[in-house]
Amino acid sequence: MTTWEYQVAPIPLHNEGLMLNNFGQDGWELVQLTTNEQGGLVAFFKRPAAS
């Protein structure tokens, strides 16, 4: 059974693509992208946990 680790990160509005690509290069998969109460982007990521 796969176990997961999770990351929640604010995404700057001026560099969305760069930031998301950096997480992807580190093995993170984007699960959800949403806005917070202030209108900023918040990303939720997951990746398989290291054994």
Side-chain angles (χ1 to χ4, degrees):
M1 178 164 82
T2 303
T3 56
W4 301 96
E5 63 178 322
Y6 299 92
Q7 175 82 358
V8 178
I11 304 297
L13 295 177
H14 61 279
N15 253 349
E16 302 96 327
L18 176 63
M19 187 72 122
L20 293 171
N21 284 330
N22 285 340
F23 277 103
Q25 289 175 356
D26 289 339
W28 293 102
E29 178 182 350
L30 181 64
V31 176
Q32 183 176 355
L33 190 61
T34 188
T35 56
N36 62 18
E37 293 174 356
Q38 294 79 28
L41 292 176
V42 179
F44 295 81
F45 300 92
K46 72 176 185 178
R47 69 178 175 189
S51 309

